[in-house]
Amino acid sequence: MHKPKRLLLLPCLFFLTNLIHAQNVLQESAKDPLEVHGNFNVISQYYLTDSVIAAPTVPEKFLMNGYANVIATKGAFSAGARYESYENALLGFDPNYKGSGFPYRYFSFDNKGLSVTVGNFYEQFGTGMLFRSYEERDLGLDNAMDGIRVKYDLGNGVRFKGLVGRQRYFFAKGDGIVRAIDGEVNLNEAFSSWKDNKLKLLVGANFISKYQEDNNPDLVLPENVGAYSGRITARYSDFSITGEYAYKENDPSTDNTNIYKPGQGLFVSASYSQKGFGINLSAKHIDNMSFRSDRTEGFNNLTINYLPALTKQHTYNLAATLYPYATQPTGEIAFQGDIVFRLKKKTWYGGKYGTRILLNGSVAYGLDSTRVNDLNTTRQGYTAKFFSPGKEEYFQDINLTVERKLNKTFKVKAMYMNMMVNNLITRYGGLNGSFGGKIYADIAVLDVMYKIKPKHALRAEFQALWSDQDMGDWGTIVLEYTYSPHWFVAIMDQYNYGNSVEKNQIHYPYGTFGYINGGNRISLGFGRQKAGLFCVGGVCRVVPASNGLSINVTSSF
Amino acid sequence: MYMKKICLIIFSVSLGLIGCDKVDDPYKGIDRPTEPTGPIDTSGAIAFCGFDEYDSELNDTTYNDSTLNIRKVLLEEFTGHLCGFCPPQSKKLVAKSENELNGKVIVMSIHAANFAALVPSKGYTTDFTTPEGNDLQEKYKGGNTAPSLMMNRSNNPASAGQWDQLLDSLNQSGYYNDPVVKFKVRNIYNETIKTGKIDLDIEFLKSFSGIDFAIGVYITEDNILAKQKYYGENPEDVDNYDHRHVIRTAATPTFGASFISGDVALNQKKSASFCYELKEEWNPDKCTVVIFIGNSNNSQIYQAEEVHVTSE
């Protein structure tokens, strides 16, 4: 049963007493000019019926996502708001994004190291493994906090942050209350004897607690769920290493099928770099680390933390949208390595301008776990060995990129990727349905840039994906012509020529035309877009197939 | 210096005082979950089906999530091994479901009525009938005019000549692209005791008022080789005919288990779990779990989904 609930004392309440200094700040800021900045973006699409690619019928025909940010600053003061409009949301975005409103507004001021924000804000502690409030517009993800945040920089490398609030849930707020505190010390600044030390050390710790009412008729749900982490970053000459360990107390939720096992995570990344050479090795252990301010939520909704992906985020279309990998918050062990080196210019092997080579490899496994038969007693569910990969491999990617400028007009980039994605985990389904097993794919890319004459450039992209599973082989061609600085036009065709289902051997042509002038960018696109996944940093959303005319207008000031 | 000390004290005290509830005994009262019967609401208690669902050594776990843009239609074909007109129509339907309507429809074969009767003297000894199939026959009488087809249990069983037109009109109406719910399906199958567990997370993509929703969970088996009357073949009694998507059993009552009643809000979510058992003679690698959500009052189905029993 519950242990007695303890007194809630928040550090930010103390910091708020510093508001008495605001009068002084106001006087000083009066001398500073008022600056107003902002940006605007609207993406709209007129949808055509296209049963060949299983594009869904859109009753509205026309859908739109749009927003505008306006931020005003005057000296130490800053205030801003964002208007968002989804009439209705573009296909692939959660239908909860519906209507228009001001889901984001804030006011903040700085005063002698104290920074106060009321309203909405984004924040991250360490790697974000326990707390990251952020916005990724293309994913439809926005877990902005709405509450109060206080930061205090005490000087000498000591900094604190405290915050309380609820998270954004589309145009409303989530049920849970999030309370968090973070402290960080730069030891080289804190101790005078360390000031000139070649070893640079930064340590930090944080504690997060969420509150959500227990309304379950059968289970005793912890209303206050605590989690804490410690982190360290060390640099010595060309070496650096960063690590964070996090522990989360019992947090039964829909994600973990209501088990009470604590969660834990460890992230370690080490790197070495010198002129022309760099290496980075990363590893992580994630066990039951889904952390949301509403235990019943799913998808990308109301996530408190962010579990960094240890896979390369590919940018070339086939690799980026067909078989990307999403971090598995319930449990995974992952490793990644990057090696970058540059072959000397004016050598027989490096060419006249030098050559850049990047080798990347990553792998993710399930946990090495053993079930505990306690579902009608303590409900711990299972035990897992720390940092021990299980038998089930989730993902693997080995890729090599070579970039070389051949002469003043030609630049070439070639890439080869060998991937395995376990579709029982990623659960992606295209036109052929959801393939139930491991998908192996080889992908090759040739990207050629030709500078025709000053201001005129032509870029061509040739991509091929070979696979014996799922939808088989794909090919992609992109041609892009740029007339700097204002105009560009591009055409692309993707062709699923190797699909084992003959009727699904489909072309996906798409054309784009655009104009750029200063902070304004207007582009028109027309054609088919295949169904796929769109991922940023291991967080993904499904993008349905579509056909139609899209208009994208961006402006910033 | 004074401020720094104050902050450090606050930081330390906060770590100790901000709430964190450690729960040693998760259950309220003395009732503990036992073997489930019927649908189980997992928003509270977890369901289990007599096996260790975390044992990855013994279990096979499969998933299928519906997308936000596809509404799968359940096609139920009344047939029988004595129905000599049925095989060509059945093949045509399955081919259409695997190609033109791939990912949009789920086919189940109901063997019922006279065409499904056993005739040992002529070698028709495989009993494909099920209590669920008999219930459907009693209500819809589709077996009397086999082959006949129901779409989401919303039409009187249609004769084969109408199938293409009905399916095409659904396609043109955009029905397949207008999902009512999003299914998130997890299936865990334990071969040792030939038992499986289906976990469903269902999100409503539309709001409803005054409807009693029911969930149906059926098991079908594909590629069963057995005797079939096949007019036009020589001989007409085909020994190893490939019977497709045959209903084997159900984990719910025939017309579904009560799921949610009254008003349902847009994006409202609810979970449920069901257990099922396979008979020894059924091949789990060929079995599929078919799930549907429908209206309890008129038995019409809104949407269906499926997941394979094993990952083979």
Side-chain angles (χ1 to χ4, degrees):
Chain A
M1 301 295 287
H2 279 294
K3 289 188 174 175
K5 201 176 293 179
R6 287 169 285 194
L7 179 64
L8 200 69
L9 179 60
L10 299 169
C12 55
L13 292 178
F14 169 80
F15 286 121
L16 283 174
T17 60
N18 287 272
L19 286 170
I20 58 172
H21 293 291
Q23 187 62 36
N24 297 332
V25 180
L26 189 61
Q27 288 168 358
E28 289 171 18
S29 295
K31 302 167 194 167
D32 295 315
L34 174 68
E35 292 182 20
V36 179
H37 297 284
N39 60 348
F40 164 79
N41 175 243
V42 61
I43 306 172
S44 53
Q45 184 160 358
Y46 182 82
Y47 293 90
L48 300 175
T49 303
D50 191 341
S51 59
V52 175
I53 60 171
T57 302
V58 178
E60 305 94 327
K61 307 281 187 194
F62 180 86
L63 300 174
M64 179 206 74
N65 290 7
Y67 72 91
N69 280 304
V70 177
I71 297 168
T73 56
K74 184 170 174 60
F77 293 93
S78 174
R82 182 169 64 238
Y83 178 79
E84 294 183 13
S85 182
Y86 305 88
E87 300 291 4
N88 285 332
L90 293 169
L91 281 185
F93 285 84
D94 196 306
N96 278 305
Y97 282 116
K98 192 169 191 175
S100 304
F102 285 92
Y104 188 89
R105 71 281 179 273
Y106 78 94
F107 170 78
S108 72
F109 72 90
D110 296 319
N111 178 23
K112 295 179 180 175
L114 176 73
S115 170
V116 175
T117 304
V118 295
N120 296 107
F121 54 86
Y122 298 108
E123 184 57 79
Q124 178 171 338
F125 295 167
T127 63
M129 195 151 52
L130 276 193
F131 185 80
R132 186 187 185 196
S133 171
Y134 71 114
E135 181 204 20
E136 192 59 64
R137 186 153 290 278
D138 292 333
L139 288 176
L141 188 160
D142 187 352
N143 60 0
M145 294 292 297
D146 190 355
I148 293 176
R149 176 185 62 186
V150 178
K151 297 181 185 179
Y152 205 100
D153 187 342
L154 280 75
N156 295 334
V158 182
R159 289 172 281 273
F160 288 99
K161 298 174 190 172
L163 60 91
V164 180
R166 293 176 192 258
Q167 293 183 290
R168 178 184 176 183
Y169 185 73
F170 305 101
F171 280 107
K173 282 185 277 188
D175 279 348
I177 305 171
V178 179
R179 299 74 59 94
I181 185 167
D182 180 77
E184 190 172 80
V185 181
N186 184 325
L187 297 177
N188 300 86
E189 294 176 24
F191 303 105
S192 54
S193 57
W194 278 60
K195 191 177 179 183
D196 299 320
N197 199 322
K198 280 188 175 180
L199 177 65
K200 308 295 180 190
L201 275 177
L202 187 71
V203 295
N206 58 72
F207 182 81
I208 292 95
S209 171
K210 68 163 178 175
Y211 170 80
Q212 186 184 12
E213 189 184 352
D214 173 8
N215 52 9
N216 190 293
D218 304 312
L219 295 174
V220 180
L221 298 176
E223 294 188 325
N224 294 285
V225 175
Y228 31 89
S229 84
R231 62 182 185 270
I232 184 167
T233 299
R235 278 190 297 114
Y236 187 88
S237 186
D238 297 327
F239 291 94
S240 75
I241 184 167
T242 185
E244 179 167 2
Y245 174 78
Y247 188 87
K248 179 169 67 87
E249 297 286 1
N250 49 194
D251 181 22
S253 67
T254 303
D255 285 334
N256 65 13
T257 62
N258 283 331
I259 62 170
Y260 287 66
K261 181 183 187 298
Q264 63 175 338
L266 177 66
F267 175 82
V268 182
S269 178
S271 63
Y272 169 78
S273 64
Q274 62 174 43
K275 191 179 178 185
F277 177 76
I279 183 169
N280 179 271
L281 300 171
S282 306
K284 71 170 178 178
H285 167 98
I286 298 293
D287 179 3
N288 193 21
M289 282 300 286
S290 170
F291 195 23
R292 301 178 193 264
S293 58
D294 183 335
R295 60 176 83 87
T296 64
E297 268 301 327
F299 306 105
N300 294 328
N301 302 333
L302 296 173
T303 54
I304 296 175
N305 62 344
Y306 166 74
L307 301 170
L310 280 190
T311 54
K312 185 182 178 73
Q313 190 170 317
H314 290 292
T315 53
Y316 288 107
N317 189 281
L318 287 177
T321 62
L322 277 176
Y323 304 122
Y325 179 69
T327 300
Q328 302 301 309
T330 50
E332 68 174 18
I333 311 283
F335 304 90
Q336 180 173 228
D338 282 294
I339 299 174
V340 187
F341 55 98
R342 187 177 289 278
L343 302 180
K344 277 185 180 177
K345 58 185 178 182
K346 294 178 181 173
T347 60
W348 64 268
Y349 50 87
K352 185 178 179 182
Y353 298 93
T355 301
R356 184 170 176 266
I357 297 175
L358 197 156
L359 180 63
N360 167 271
S362 60
V363 64
Y365 290 90
L367 297 175
D368 184 359
S369 60
T370 306
R371 195 252 187 175
V372 179
N373 189 15
D374 67 344
L375 285 180
N376 56 356
T377 54
T378 55
R379 298 180 65 87
Q380 294 296 295
Y382 64 94
T383 58
K385 291 179 185 170
F386 192 66
F387 242 119
S388 172
K391 289 176 183 170
E392 192 74 27
E393 188 176 7
Y394 288 175
F395 183 79
Q396 181 183 299
D397 178 16
I398 299 169
N399 56 83
L400 177 71
T401 309
V402 180
E403 285 181 66
R404 176 180 277 197
K405 185 177 178 182
L406 299 177
N407 55 43
K408 285 184 179 177
T409 57
F410 267 109
K411 192 176 175 185
V412 175
K413 184 175 177 182
M415 190 170 185
Y416 168 75
M417 292 155 264
N418 177 275
M419 303 173 85
M420 185 286 292
V421 57
N422 188 336
N423 208 43
L424 290 173
I425 304 300
T426 54
R427 303 162 72 176
Y428 168 67
L431 268 184
N432 289 14
S434 186
F435 182 83
K438 291 180 177 176
I439 300 169
Y440 297 87
D442 291 284
I443 306 170
V445 177
L446 182 64
D447 184 341
V448 183
M449 170 81 89
Y450 174 53
K451 198 172 177 181
I452 303 166
K453 58 183 179 180
K455 293 189 176 180
H456 295 260
L458 182 66
R459 192 174 76 84
E461 211 177 272
F462 306 93
Q463 300 179 41
L465 180 149
W466 299 278
S467 176
D468 293 331
Q469 294 83 31
D470 195 30
M471 290 182 284
D473 302 339
W474 287 79
T476 295
I477 293 179
V478 180
L479 293 173
E480 184 180 272
Y481 176 73
T482 308
Y483 176 37
S484 301
H486 295 306
W487 300 95
F488 66 91
V489 60
I491 54 170
M492 175 173 80
D493 184 34
Q494 293 187 309
Y495 181 31
N496 190 191
Y497 65 93
N499 198 313
S500 55
V501 180
E502 196 173 336
K503 66 179 282 291
N504 290 340
Q505 293 174 2
I506 297 169
H507 282 276
Y508 295 83
Y510 194 82
T512 319
F513 171 74
Y515 174 73
I516 302 168
N517 189 1
N520 301 326
R521 185 181 192 276
I522 301 168
S523 66
L524 299 174
F526 182 77
R528 279 177 171 169
Q529 290 172 291
K530 68 176 172 58
L533 287 175
F534 178 77
C535 298
V536 177
V539 183
C540 302
R541 82 175 164 89
V542 174
V543 181
S546 67
N547 189 352
L549 174 71
S550 66
I551 305 167
N552 191 339
V553 180
T554 305
S555 182
S556 57
F557 57 91
Chain B
M1 221 32 220
Y2 172 74
M3 182 61 81
K4 188 180 292 185
K5 283 181 181 171
I6 292 291
C7 285
L8 286 169
I9 290 167
I10 287 174
F11 184 78
S12 306
V13 170
S14 298
L15 287 178
L17 294 185
I18 289 181
C20 172
D21 303 334
K22 178 86 169 62
V23 178
D24 297 321
D25 185 353
Y27 288 100
K28 290 171 178 164
I30 56 171
D31 294 334
R32 306 281 154 150
T34 55
E35 292 286 329
T37 54
I40 294 151
D41 185 345
T42 54
S43 59
I46 196 166
F48 56 97
C49 304
F51 64 93
D52 176 355
E53 68 182 81
Y54 292 97
D55 191 339
S56 58
E57 294 278 318
L58 293 175
N59 298 337
D60 198 347
T61 304
T62 53
Y63 302 91
N64 194 14
D65 299 348
S66 63
T67 61
L68 288 172
N69 56 353
I70 294 293
R71 176 184 192 173
K72 289 186 185 172
V73 173
L74 184 64
L75 303 180
E76 289 170 290
E77 176 205 15
F78 284 93
T79 187
H81 56 187
L82 301 178
C83 174
F85 295 111
C86 289
Q89 304 303 333
S90 180
K91 286 182 177 180
K92 194 174 162 189
L93 179 69
V94 171
K96 196 175 180 91
S97 73
E98 290 174 347
N99 294 288
E100 191 181 335
L101 297 177
N102 182 36
K104 294 178 177 176
V105 297
I106 296 164
V107 176
M108 295 202 304
S109 290
I110 304 162
H111 289 245
N114 293 340
F115 287 124
L118 301 183
V119 187
S121 59
K122 292 189 176 178
Y124 289 95
T125 55
T126 308
D127 187 4
F128 290 116
T129 63
T130 58
E132 294 76 23
N134 294 339
D135 289 344
L136 292 167
Q137 164 64 16
E138 188 177 331
K139 184 176 174 73
Y140 299 106
K141 317 291 185 201
N144 299 350
T145 54
S148 61
L149 185 71
M150 283 195 299
M151 294 178 296
N152 276 353
R153 297 184 185 172
S154 58
N155 62 304
N156 290 322
S159 58
Q162 300 172 287
W163 294 2
D164 279 343
Q165 186 190 349
L166 287 170
L167 292 169
D168 292 343
S169 65
L170 272 191
N171 210 2
Q172 287 157 10
S173 70
Y175 189 89
Y176 298 121
N177 308 124
D178 186 25
V180 171
V181 297
K182 178 175 172 58
F183 284 108
K184 193 173 179 185
V185 184
R186 182 177 71 152
N187 170 69
I188 308 170
Y189 176 68
N190 186 299
E191 173 61 17
T192 310
I193 58 171
K194 297 189 83 69
T195 297
K197 175 171 177 261
I198 284 285
D199 294 324
L200 297 176
D201 295 327
I202 292 176
E203 179 183 3
F204 285 86
L205 303 177
K206 295 179 187 298
S207 57
F208 292 91
S209 182
I211 291 180
D212 297 330
F213 286 94
I215 293 285
V217 178
Y218 279 47
I219 309 296
T220 63
E221 185 179 2
D222 201 10
N223 304 123
I224 306 170
L225 300 181
K227 200 156 192 171
Q228 171 71 43
K229 179 77 77 182
Y230 195 154
Y231 296 148
E233 292 290 300
N234 188 14
E236 281 185 351
D237 298 307
V238 179
D239 279 337
N240 284 314
Y241 177 77
D242 186 6
H243 292 266
R244 306 295 307 273
H245 309 298
V246 178
I247 292 179
R248 283 304 202 181
T249 186
T252 60
T254 304
F255 299 100
S258 180
F259 182 58
I260 193 167
S261 297
D263 294 341
V264 174
L266 175 69
N267 301 119
Q268 186 170 333
K269 294 173 184 172
K270 186 164 176 158
S271 302
S273 293
F274 300 88
C275 304
Y276 62 86
E277 287 181 30
L278 301 190
K279 286 187 178 172
E280 192 60 40
E281 59 268 29
W282 302 345
N283 181 354
D285 296 342
K286 296 288 184 182
C287 287
T288 296
V289 183
V290 176
I291 303 113
F292 61 80
I293 183 166
N295 186 329
S296 288
N297 299 321
N298 58 19
S299 302
Q300 291 187 5
I301 292 169
Y302 289 105
Q303 195 171 325
E305 191 49 88
E306 64 184 336
V307 64
H308 293 297
V309 165
T310 72
S311 54
E312 292 299 315

